[in-house]
Amino acid sequence: MSITLRRAAGRRERRGYPTQHVRPGLLMVLDRLHDAPAQVLSDRGEVLAQNAMAVALTGEHQPGYNIIRSWFTAPEGRALFPAEDHEAHSRSHVGQLRAVLAARPGDVALIALVDELRAASEEFDLLWAQHVVAVRRAEHKRFVHPVVGELDLECEALLSADHGQVLVIHTARPGTDAYERLQLLRVVGLQDLTVGP
């Protein structure tokens, strides 16, 4: 573990474990994002809050839904992403969990999640054994939406003060195909246009 990671781990351990209640500041920002899919996640991968655009893009997630658990244990967890991007997503998810565990080695819920995923997914277990550590940063992310098609979006991850929660925002540059598709998604919203008459 690097000195920087040890220092970060020490700071986070002293502040205690993150709450599942969304911080008011993050909720205020989320409420003001009308034209970009955004959601608040715990650092363990639980979806804590979504705006309407995020629901339109990825579906509505009930309390307790964990995107990392879904990714490794449920086929529908990967359906929104091109197959050629799956390996990178897998590595990112595993690296994120390992970074959080390095910062909070006594987090019982996180340890239980890792143990569950190691038992349930050979892919997760193999990646976990590689000891990759990663922290979410800005990146491109491609989605395959059943109505508006493929969207190549910018992904920004804004950490809360204690790093226990992250606001993830997906945007597209004006004038791009992805921007036009995102605007279409905003119009169709939660309408199910895939069902026949």
Side-chain angles (χ1 to χ4, degrees):
M1 186 187 311
S2 71
I3 293 172
T4 304
L5 188 55
R6 270 195 224 108
R7 286 181 182 155
R11 279 198 302 269
R12 289 175 65 190
E13 284 184 89
R14 283 194 297 273
R15 293 183 183 190
Y17 299 126
T19 175
Q20 296 301 100
H21 299 288
V22 180
R23 300 174 64 87
L26 290 180
L27 272 180
M28 287 179 61
V29 174
L30 187 66
D31 286 345
R32 285 163 175 74
L33 294 169
H34 303 290
D35 60 350
Q39 57 189 355
V40 179
L41 304 174
S42 76
D43 60 5
R44 292 188 291 247
E46 296 112 346
V47 178
L48 304 178
Q50 299 173 279
N51 68 5
M53 284 289 286
V55 172
L57 179 62
T58 64
E60 186 170 9
H61 301 304
Q62 299 303 312
Y65 180 86
N66 186 297
I67 61 171
I68 300 174
R69 176 184 288 117
S70 175
W71 181 263
F72 287 103
T73 64
E76 63 272 14
R78 301 185 181 211
L80 279 172
F81 302 94
E84 57 268 27
D85 296 351
H86 287 184
E87 182 180 352
H89 284 293
S90 294
R91 289 186 171 278
S92 176
H93 286 318
V94 173
Q96 172 68 19
L97 285 185
R98 190 168 277 287
V100 176
L101 188 59
R104 290 199 314 274
D107 187 331
V108 175
L110 180 58
I111 293 168
L113 176 62
V114 170
D115 288 345
E116 172 194 341
L117 292 176
R118 292 191 76 181
S121 168
E122 181 180 357
E123 179 189 21
F124 182 92
D125 190 48
L126 289 170
L127 290 172
W128 188 260
Q130 295 176 15
H131 298 278
V132 176
V133 177
V135 178
R136 284 190 185 99
R137 292 190 172 84
E139 60 182 80
H140 286 280
K141 196 173 283 185
R142 294 191 301 163
F143 294 85
V144 181
H145 190 273
V147 175
V148 302
E150 186 173 305
L151 299 103
D152 187 353
L153 302 177
E154 302 277 348
C155 178
E156 293 289 341
L158 309 176
L159 292 170
S160 62
D162 65 359
H163 292 197
Q165 296 180 356
V166 60
L167 174 64
V168 180
I169 308 167
H170 295 97
T171 60
R173 295 177 191 224
T176 64
D177 182 61
Y179 181 82
E180 297 303 321
R181 290 173 189 259
L182 204 54
Q183 296 308 304
L184 177 59
L185 181 65
R186 185 178 180 194
V187 172
V188 300
L190 301 179
Q191 300 174 49
D192 187 357
L193 302 179
T194 62
V195 179

